[in-house]
Amino acid sequence: MDTVIGLLLAAVALITVVTLVRAVRIVPQQREDVVERLGRYKRTLNPGLNLLVPFIDAVRTKVDMREQVVSFPPQPVITSDNLVVSIDTVLYFKVVDSVKATYEISNFLQAIEQLTVTTLRNVIGSLDLERALTSREEINRHLSGVLDETTGRWGIKVTRVEIKAIEPPPSIRDSMEKQMRAERDRRAAILNAEGHKQSQILSAEGEKQAAVLRADGDRQARILQAEGQAKAIRTVFDAIHQANPSQKVLAYQYLQALPQIANGQANKVWIVPAEMTKALEGLGGALGGLSRAAGDEPQAGVDSGAVEREAAEAARAAAEAAQEVNAEVRAAEAQVTSRPTSPQGLPAPEPVSPDSLAGDSTVDRQPERG
């Protein structure tokens, strides 16, 4: 008897505990529970402590009210240029009405996936591959608008749709890589050509400025050199006029300069001026008339014969130098005339003998010595 009473008390206690457990429902934050009474919708349990009628009320579904992220597997889609591409999509959504999400559709996740695939095929089917690769923002906006409009009656809000990847066929990827590589090579060649062009322009400008500066420096140097030569000539000219030299001094200086004119290996042609004979005559006259010129009479102890011999030797040296020059001129003319394409040589001047030069001067001086 006592055993039966104990079993009854235990059963009553167990039933009481089960009843309390089924009557009390604690709902966490960001979740709603849909309650049915005898198979019909009764109410929605909000977060917190809620009481139910045991064995009459039952929780149908527990709906998460937070925003959820679903990544769909790659889907093959055909573009307008008949290329099959694989597209991965990511969907962001949240449940705004737990009752509609429970009773309006059996599986809203599967419905959203299929709706996304069909909408994506419609959108991509109207675009070619190049535009599909570069129009992701447009595709995302179109998908968001269609999904949000359709899923609104299910109590679901689509917040964002993102295309994670668009994978074209391997052959198309190879062609695109080659095209991109060619485009990069073309841009690199253009940049190299532009750099070479700029370098050439800068080099040409630098050479131009350097040439202008060199020409200006050369011009200034020539101007300064010409001014210096002009000043030197004026100084010499003024000095000569201030000294007022006689004709015999000038003739003697001219006669001394003749051997220096004929000297040098580079002197191939030497033109003997016609005034040389006159200069020699003037020199002879000057030397013969030393005793008659005023203020130029020879002093005691000066040998006039030595002076005449020195003048004769100078005249003979000048004549010999003239003959050597004439010989070099004839040799040059012979070399020129031996070549048919060379220009004709200049006629050789008549040779001047030392005796004639010396004779002219001595003839003029003989009467003076007498």
Side-chain angles (χ1 to χ4, degrees), residues 92-131:
Y92 298 82
F93 71 95
K94 66 182 299 184
V95 178
V96 295
D97 193 340
S98 59
V99 177
K100 290 183 179 181
T102 303
Y103 293 102
E104 293 294 335
I105 190 169
S106 62
N107 190 346
F108 61 85
L109 286 177
Q110 184 180 2
I112 291 174
E113 180 181 359
Q114 296 301 322
L115 182 61
T116 303
V117 171
T118 55
T119 306
L120 191 61
R121 287 178 178 175
N122 292 332
V123 175
I124 299 298
S126 61
L127 304 175
D128 56 5
L129 178 60
E130 185 176 359
R131 188 177 176 187

Side-chain angles (χ1 to χ4, degrees), residues 56-342:
I56 297 177
D57 294 341
V59 177
R60 169 69 183 272
T61 56
K62 299 176 181 179
V63 182
D64 193 351
M65 305 302 293
R66 294 174 297 179
E67 186 173 1
Q68 302 179 36
V69 181
V70 179
S71 177
F72 300 129
Q75 299 294 330
V77 180
I78 301 176
T79 61
S80 62
D81 49 356
N82 297 324
L83 294 176
V84 180
V85 295
S86 179
I87 300 179
D88 297 346
T89 55
V90 179
L91 182 66
Y92 298 82
F93 71 95
K94 66 182 299 184
V95 178
V96 295
D97 193 340
S98 59
V99 177
K100 290 183 179 181
T102 303
Y103 293 102
E104 293 294 335
I105 190 169
S106 62
N107 190 346
F108 61 85
L109 286 177
Q110 184 180 2
I112 291 174
E113 180 181 359
Q114 296 301 322
L115 182 61
T116 303
V117 171
T118 55
T119 306
L120 191 61
R121 287 178 178 175
N122 292 332
V123 175
I124 299 298
S126 61
L127 304 175
D128 56 5
L129 178 60
E130 185 176 359
R131 188 177 176 187
L133 293 174
T134 58
S135 303
R136 294 192 176 188
E137 293 295 333
E138 182 180 355
I139 297 172
N140 293 337
R141 287 194 301 268
H142 190 76
L143 287 175
S144 298
V146 173
L147 292 176
D148 191 25
E149 181 182 358
T150 305
T151 59
R153 62 176 181 270
W154 300 339
I156 298 173
K157 173 68 175 177
V158 177
T159 58
R160 190 178 182 86
V161 179
E162 290 291 340
I163 296 179
K164 185 167 60 176
I166 300 177
E167 296 293 337
S171 59
I172 301 300
R173 287 200 300 268
D174 295 339
S175 300
M176 294 173 62
E177 289 177 359
K178 293 179 180 179
Q179 182 180 1
M180 293 174 62
R181 191 180 302 111
E183 181 67 20
R184 291 191 183 97
D185 293 340
R186 184 182 67 85
R187 292 179 181 178
I190 291 174
L191 292 177
N192 290 332
E194 289 290 338
H196 184 68
K197 175 183 176 182
Q198 293 296 330
S199 176
Q200 293 293 331
I201 290 174
L202 294 178
S203 299
E205 290 180 354
E207 292 177 358
K208 175 184 175 182
Q209 294 180 1
V212 170
L213 293 177
R214 283 195 297 267
D216 186 68
D218 190 13
R219 182 178 64 86
Q220 294 293 335
R222 289 176 180 272
I223 291 174
L224 294 177
Q225 185 178 4
E227 291 178 354
Q229 292 179 356
K231 186 175 180 181
I233 291 172
R234 285 195 300 269
T235 303
V236 173
F237 185 77
D238 293 341
I240 291 173
H241 279 274
Q242 289 178 4
N244 193 14
S246 61
Q247 185 67 24
K248 57 183 178 298
V249 175
L250 296 177
Y252 185 72
Q253 293 292 330
Y254 182 76
L255 186 60
Q256 288 182 344
L258 288 178
Q260 298 179 1
I261 295 175
N263 189 17
Q265 298 179 358
N267 296 332
K268 300 301 182 183
V269 178
W270 183 51
I271 300 173
V272 179
E275 291 81 1
M276 185 179 69
T277 306
K278 296 181 179 180
L280 294 175
E281 293 177 356
L283 177 61
L287 293 176
L290 288 175
S291 60
R292 296 193 303 271
D296 292 333
E297 293 182 359
Q299 298 179 2
V302 178
D303 188 3
S304 59
V307 175
E308 291 178 357
R309 286 192 298 272
E310 181 180 358
E313 290 177 358
R316 188 178 296 105
E320 291 176 356
Q323 288 180 355
E324 292 178 358
V325 171
N326 291 332
E328 292 180 359
V329 170
R330 293 191 189 93
E333 288 180 353
Q335 294 178 359
V336 172
T337 53
S338 62
R339 299 177 183 178
T341 57
S342 302

